Amino acid sequence: MTDRRPGQWPVQHPVPRDPQTAATAPVTQLPVRVEVPVPDVRLVAVVDLTDEYATHDDVSRALYEQTMRASDCHTAVVRLGEAAIRKHLTLPRAIAGAFFLSAQRIEVHVPAGTRYAYFAARVRQELEQICADHAQMLSSTRTPG
């Protein structure tokens, strides 16, 4: 075992008991304080829904599987394909619902052309409605004062 008694802990730099040896003992220098700069990191969650989907449930499942671990991010980038937009009619609400508490910004990338240009605006509208409903619910459940 050790020669320690219960309640006695080893000291890394023992202090000498004799005052004369304490004056001549080398003074240990404390390490210089080092500050590590923390970079401004912005987490991005990327959701890719550009595959071919047969049903509404396939699109919902793919969206859920890709967003279930995206609990906190700065930006959510959602890439949509034509099949996902055609099969899932409530996709703007589903995207807004998946990220409304976890992402500060949602970017929606749709296929080129004017045919789907409205889609990002619909996601933004749904997000505003969900946030307004959430704020109204919080204000009604808080106690006054």
Side-chain angles (χ1 to χ4, degrees), residues 17-131:
R17 292 179 188 232
D18 185 16
Q20 291 178 348
T21 56
T24 59
V27 179
T28 57
Q29 294 287 333
L30 294 175
V32 178
R33 183 178 174 158
V34 178
E35 291 188 25
V36 178
V38 178
D40 183 25
V41 177
R42 298 189 178 212
L43 300 175
V44 177
V46 179
V47 177
D48 187 20
L49 298 175
T50 56
D51 292 340
E52 289 296 320
Y53 299 104
T55 64
H56 170 338
D57 292 336
D58 293 340
V59 180
S60 295
R61 188 176 309 110
L63 178 65
Y64 172 75
E65 288 173 357
Q66 293 183 39
T67 59
M68 69 180 180
R69 289 187 181 85
S71 61
D72 189 19
C73 60
H74 180 270
T75 304
V77 178
V78 183
R79 294 185 186 131
L80 298 174
E82 193 170 337
I85 294 172
R86 285 185 180 190
K87 298 293 180 185
H88 198 303
L89 299 176
T90 58
L91 192 56
R93 181 166 278 281
I95 292 169
F99 290 109
F100 93 98
L101 285 178
S102 61
Q104 295 177 14
R105 222 172 123 214
I106 300 174
E107 292 181 13
V108 179
H109 298 191
V110 294
T114 58
R115 192 166 155 183
Y116 301 111
Y118 71 94
F119 204 83
R122 284 291 315 269
V123 171
R124 191 171 24 261
Q125 288 172 353
E126 294 289 343
L127 183 62
E128 288 171 1
Q129 288 176 353
I130 290 173
C131 289

